Amino acid sequence: MHLSPEEQLAILTRGTERLISPDQLLRQLHSATTKKQPLRVKMGVDPTAPDIHLGHCVGLLKLRQFQDLGHTAVLIIGDFTASIGDPSGRNTTRPTLSRDTILANAHTYQEQAFKILRRDQTEVVWNGTWFNNMTAHTLLELLSRRSVSQILQREDFKSRLESHHPLALHEICYPLLQGWDSVMVKADVEIGGSDQLFNLLIGRDLQEQCHQPPQTIITLPLLEGTDGVHKMSKSLGNTISVNDPPKEMFGRVMSIPDPLTSRWSEILFAETPDPSLHPMEAKKRLAQKIITLFHSASAAQQAREEFERIFSLHQLPTDIPSLTPPTPLPLTKLLVHIHAAPSNSEARRLILAGAVSINQQKITDPTTTPDYSTPFILRCGKRFFAQIQPPPHPPK
């Protein structure tokens, strides 16, 4: 894509929250164009879980924008820093992961990241390459580059201390370790979430101390989960993972609150939905775009048609919550679990009375266990609707 530096800057700043600084990035783009030398754009991920969800993809999509403009993505796999776990936004210390778990997670992270990134324009670097070989003397020298009072200026560290939540010494080291990654890969630009700003600034400062040009910093908004309230997080069950089946993806997108449609479109794709579209149609188009990104356009179209067959043709509500039981529960227990009935006996009574249906099919046998292989629509009475997602675990 042959665009002027000014045109590139206009694209790269879309959907960002903070840029330090636009003038510096423009100079870097001019230099890259003149010297025909692509920028090195860094993003780090700690493989603390096996799946990547849409929240992780915000940064990956920005990296892909840089790649589309001819630049190089430097993906840091934090196999060393994952043993600490990024403390950003947390009020508790992360549990320590085994080396085997970290390596297994890292493998799936890379596979999923390349659903977005171009392999031929990506450098994958493991930060254990330098940290595992660091002597105690070298580590102490790194830590001496910042005072404790400077590190404790970080808002989440301050709040943990003020609220008497534990703050371990290894967590305080984390910003310096992340910053040192930037020195080691000679990053021109670093991308991170808005909660990463302190760490990114540390990297910029360390580069200057090591007589490197300081990296430009781009922070991106944090993506709310499907509940529309909390940051997307696996622990909260409000995620859409990149490996989710198309039908499940479509259903989860359709379950988000209407105001989230515009925000997701802006954060993920730097687009604003057509205001003339009905909110339902805007959400369907967003769902198709997300599925096309991770699967294919045909899979997205099939998921839409299936959704419309179940939902739209029967004029069901458009704000149906998406719920995931822990295991494939019998129907009576499922009704209690999702608070559609207060007890097993009441659930049984509702089923016998013909007040419960699955995908518009009335269920009258209280011993029924639904088919959990694909999402389904559960109705109880006149007003209770839920989209039931496949459980994450098999029954014990």
Side-chain angles (χ1 to χ4, degrees):
M1 186 182 291
H2 299 290
L3 298 176
S4 71
E6 289 77 13
E7 290 171 322
Q8 292 186 49
L9 182 67
I11 292 172
L12 296 170
T13 53
R14 291 176 195 159
T16 62
E17 189 157 286
R18 191 162 180 177
L19 176 57
I20 304 175
S21 68
D23 290 343
Q24 177 176 313
L25 181 55
L26 183 58
R27 288 195 299 271
Q28 290 173 314
L29 293 169
H30 272 288
S31 178
T33 301
T34 302
K35 297 178 180 178
K36 294 183 169 44
Q37 182 174 336
L39 298 179
R40 295 174 58 76
V41 188
K42 169 203 169 194
M43 190 180 91
V45 292
D46 284 342
T48 54
D51 295 321
I52 289 180
H53 55 63
L54 284 185
H56 301 123
C57 293
V58 176
L60 293 171
L61 287 164
K62 183 58 67 177
L63 276 182
R64 176 56 186 263
Q65 276 188 347
F66 272 96
Q67 289 184 319
D68 289 343
L69 295 169
H71 304 292
T72 300
V74 182
L75 184 65
I76 304 285
I77 301 294
D79 61 313
F80 182 89
T81 45
S83 62
I84 300 173
D86 184 5
S88 297
R90 296 181 64 89
N91 59 14
T92 57
T93 302
R94 289 180 183 269
T96 301
L97 299 177
S98 71
R99 181 69 178 168
D100 287 345
T101 298
I102 291 171
L103 293 178
N105 290 345
H107 177 71
T108 60
Y109 258 55
Q110 288 183 79
E111 285 185 342
Q112 294 169 52
F114 282 120
K115 289 190 174 187
I116 297 175
L117 300 179
R118 299 177 185 270
R119 288 182 182 271
D120 61 344
Q121 289 177 263
T122 305
E123 290 183 22
V124 178
V125 187
W126 297 54
N127 66 13
T129 304
W130 45 87
F131 286 129
N132 286 329
N133 296 320
M134 210 177 240
T135 65
H137 176 77
T138 309
L139 177 60
L140 289 173
E141 185 179 44
L142 171 58
L143 298 181
S144 71
R145 293 176 181 271
R146 273 289 178 275
S147 69
V148 172
S149 61
Q150 287 174 318
I151 294 295
L152 292 182
Q153 290 304 306
R154 212 175 97 157
E155 286 300 321
D156 49 1
F157 286 170
K158 287 195 325 189
S159 64
R160 281 170 71 172
L161 290 174
E162 290 167 359
S163 58
H164 305 290
H165 286 107
L167 180 60
L169 282 174
H170 69 289
E171 293 181 281
I172 295 176
C173 299
Y174 189 95
L176 282 161
L177 299 178
Q178 180 176 330
W180 194 247
D181 289 345
S182 295
V183 174
M184 296 304 295
V185 300
K186 296 181 171 60
D188 296 308
V189 180
E190 183 169 11
I191 292 170
S194 57
D195 58 347
Q196 293 279 308
L197 179 60
F198 185 92
N199 297 357
L200 307 185
L201 288 168
I202 291 285
R204 183 179 167 93
D205 290 346
L206 290 177
Q207 285 180 308
E208 289 188 293
Q209 290 182 28
C210 294
H211 309 292
Q212 291 183 13
Q215 63 188 12
T216 293
I217 292 171
I218 296 177
T219 63
L220 302 168
L222 301 180
L223 193 72
E224 293 89 348
T226 53
D227 56 6
V229 177
H230 302 289
K231 173 185 171 183
M232 189 170 284
S233 168
K234 196 76 172 176
S235 62
L236 296 176
N238 63 356
T239 64
I240 296 175
S241 297
V242 303
N243 279 342
D244 283 344
K247 291 180 183 178
E248 186 172 338
M249 275 188 177
F250 202 98
R252 286 190 179 274
V253 175
M254 296 306 296
S255 74
I256 68 176
D258 287 348
L260 212 57
T261 305
S262 293
R263 182 161 171 81
W264 277 23
S265 297
E266 291 167 1
I267 292 176
L268 291 171
F269 302 111
E271 296 176 352
T272 302
D274 183 347
S276 67
L277 288 177
H278 187 281
M280 184 76 155
E281 177 60 26
K283 205 180 293 185
K284 287 178 182 178
R285 293 188 185 186
L286 173 62
Q288 283 186 271
K289 194 170 184 69
I290 290 171
I291 294 168
T292 299
L293 178 65
F294 300 118
H295 295 282
S296 68
S298 61
Q301 182 61 33
Q302 289 173 9
R304 173 172 179 150
E305 290 171 358
E306 176 69 9
F307 178 88
E308 290 175 341
R309 184 183 69 79
I310 295 173
F311 283 80
S312 304
L313 298 181
H314 297 284
Q315 298 181 338
L316 297 177
T318 61
D319 58 349
I320 296 176
S322 178
L323 305 174
T324 307
T327 60
L329 299 171
L331 184 56
T332 52
K333 291 186 177 181
L334 175 64
L335 292 173
V336 175
H337 178 76
I338 64 176
H339 306 295
S343 64
N344 287 337
S345 60
E346 178 62 14
R348 182 182 175 85
R349 186 193 69 77
L350 288 167
I351 295 169
L352 288 170
V356 178
S357 63
I358 293 176
N359 290 345
Q360 300 293 302
Q361 298 298 312
K362 193 173 291 186
I363 306 296
T364 56
D365 181 359
T367 66
T368 297
T369 295
D371 177 6
Y372 288 93
S373 61
T374 58
F376 59 85
I377 304 306
L378 176 68
R379 179 173 183 170
C380 184
K382 293 182 179 180
R383 296 183 177 85
F384 186 95
F385 292 86
Q387 182 185 27
I388 305 301
Q389 301 293 338
H393 306 298
K396 295 181 180 179

